[in-house]
Amino acid sequence: MTSGSHETRPTPRHQLMSQAKTLLDTWSRGAEALALLKAVQQAGWLPLLAEPRSLQALQTSTGSSLAHLESVLLVLTAHGVVEWEGDLVGLSPSFEALCADDATVGIADLLDYAQMLPRYIQEAVQMPPGIPMSETDALIQAKVFGGHVTPATQIAFRLLADALPEYAVLEAGGRGLDVGCGVAGALLNMALIFPKSHQVGLELLPSIADEARRRVRALGVETRVEIRCQDVQTLDEERAYDTAFWAQPFFPEAIRAGVLQVILRALRPGGTLLMQELFVPPMDGDMAAMRGFALSQLLFRHRGMVFAPTAEELVQEGLAAGFESVRVAQTPFGRLAILRRPELPEGRLKNTLSAE
C-alpha cells in the first residue's frame, strides 16, 4: 500500500453545517457570559469591583481561592466587564456606570430581564397566544422599561418638557394622568420637573403599583403623586385631567379602543393625550437591531399586543376614539403622537395632522 499526496476538501454541505454550528456556538457563548455575570452579581462581587483592588483583597472579601478568582476574572476581562491596572482589577468604565447607584436601570434588573426572556420566547413558539405574563415577570419588565429617576433622566425629561408646549399647563399646577404607569419612572420625572403639578398613575398589577408607591415615598412627593392599583377601564372620572400619557405598547389590542374612550372622557376639553412610538424598525443592514426587533415582535404579538405602531397609526387610533389630532412631534424620546379632547362639538372639528 503506497501513500500519495492528496487534499481533502470539505463538501459544500459540510461547510453549511459548520457555519450553522459556529453561529450556535456564538449564541451559546453569549448565554454563558450572561449566566456568569448573573452569578457574579448574586455573589456580591460587582460592588467589590467598583474600585480597583488586588486579588488578595478580593480573596479576603469573597472567601474564594486565588485560582478560582483568576478563572472568573479571566472570563470577565475577555467580555469587557473588568479591566486590569497593573496588579489591580476593577469594573470597566462602562460597567462601573451600569452598576452605580445612579444608573437609569440597575444591572440586577437587566440581568433578571435577560434571564426571563428565553423562557417567554420558548412559550411564544410552543404555547397558544394570549397568555399573560406572570406578575413577577411583569414587575421585572416594568423595572427595565421604567427605570429610575436620576440626574440624567431629569435632564432628558426637562428637554422633553421644553419641546412640548402642551406640558406648560403642568407648570401652573395642572393635573396629569399616566395610564399604565408601571413603576412610575416617567410620572415621577415629570412630577419633579413640575413641582406644582398633581399626578395620578394607574397600574393594573398590585406588585408593580406597590413598587411605584415605594418610589413615590422615597422621593417625598406623596402629597401630589397618587398611584392607583386600578384597571383603567373602570376609571369613571370625567373632565378631571389636563394631560394624559398612555403606555400603549403594553395594552392588548382587544381593549385599546375602550381605553382611549376612557382617557377621552377623563380629559378636560382641550386636554392633551400623548402616545410614544416606542419600537421603531431598525435601519437596513443593522443585523443585531433587526434580530432584537424581530424577537420583541414575537413576544409582544404572542401576548396580544399591537407591536410597533407608527405615530401616524397612533393618531388614527385616537381620531377613531373621538380625539382631535394636534401633531406628530420629534422629541428626545422619539416620535410622539399628540392629540387633544375636542373643545368644539365633534361635527365641527377639523383634523389637522402635521409632522414635525
Side-chain angles (χ1 to χ4, degrees), residues 43-45 48 53-64 69:
W45 288 20
L48 299 176
R53 61 182 65 207
S54 67
L55 280 177
Q56 290 72 22
L58 279 175
Q59 182 184 31
T60 300
S61 299
T62 64
S64 299
L69 283 171

Side-chain angles (χ1 to χ4, degrees), residues 101 103-106 109 143 146-150 153 185 189 211 214-215:
D101 291 338
T104 303
V105 181
D109 294 332
K143 288 180 177 180
H148 294 281
V149 176
T150 69
T153 64
N189 274 288
E211 175 63 18
R214 185 191 68 77
R215 298 185 182 200

Side-chain angles (χ1 to χ4, degrees), residues 2-73:
T2 62
S3 62
S5 64
H6 65 277
E7 185 178 357
T8 302
R9 297 178 181 272
T11 64
R13 188 169 182 80
H14 180 79
Q15 290 177 323
L16 291 172
M17 180 274 293
S18 295
Q19 291 173 5
K21 181 179 181 300
T22 299
L23 184 58
L24 285 175
D25 287 343
T26 301
W27 294 350
S28 178
R29 296 292 86 79
E32 291 164 5
L34 278 172
L36 176 68
L37 187 58
K38 178 68 176 178
V40 168
Q41 179 261 325
Q42 289 178 327
W45 288 20
L46 295 179
L48 299 176
L49 291 164
E51 296 289 339
R53 61 182 65 207
S54 67
L55 280 177
Q56 290 72 22
L58 279 175
Q59 182 184 31
T60 300
S61 299
T62 64
S64 299
S65 69
L66 288 177
H68 178 61
L69 283 171
E70 288 173 346
S71 296
V72 174
L73 291 171

Side-chain angles (χ1 to χ4, degrees), residues 263-282:
I263 297 173
L264 180 70
R265 184 174 64 244
L267 283 170
R268 296 188 176 110
T272 304
L273 168 65
L274 297 97
M275 296 179 283
Q276 182 184 13
E277 186 186 79
L278 183 58
F279 295 100
V280 180

Side-chain angles (χ1 to χ4, degrees), residues 44-119:
W45 288 20
L46 295 179
L48 299 176
L49 291 164
E51 296 289 339
R53 61 182 65 207
S54 67
L55 280 177
Q56 290 72 22
L58 279 175
Q59 182 184 31
T60 300
S61 299
T62 64
S64 299
S65 69
L66 288 177
H68 178 61
L69 283 171
E70 288 173 346
S71 296
V72 174
L73 291 171
L74 180 63
V75 181
L76 295 178
T77 302
H79 286 83
V81 178
V82 301
E83 294 180 352
W84 290 83
E85 297 178 10
D87 294 332
L88 304 180
V89 63
L91 294 174
S92 63
S94 57
F95 272 88
E96 186 282 324
L98 182 60
C99 296
D101 291 338
D102 63 349
T104 303
V105 181
I107 188 161
D109 294 332
L110 289 171
L111 289 172
D112 285 344
Y113 190 61
Q115 192 174 53
M116 176 190 85
L117 284 178
R119 175 162 41 83

Side-chain angles (χ1 to χ4, degrees), residues 279 282 286-299 307:
F279 295 100
D286 188 345
M287 296 306 298
M290 291 173 68
R291 287 192 289 268
F293 185 84
L295 286 170
S296 294
Q297 177 175 269
L298 173 66
L299 291 171
F307 183 73

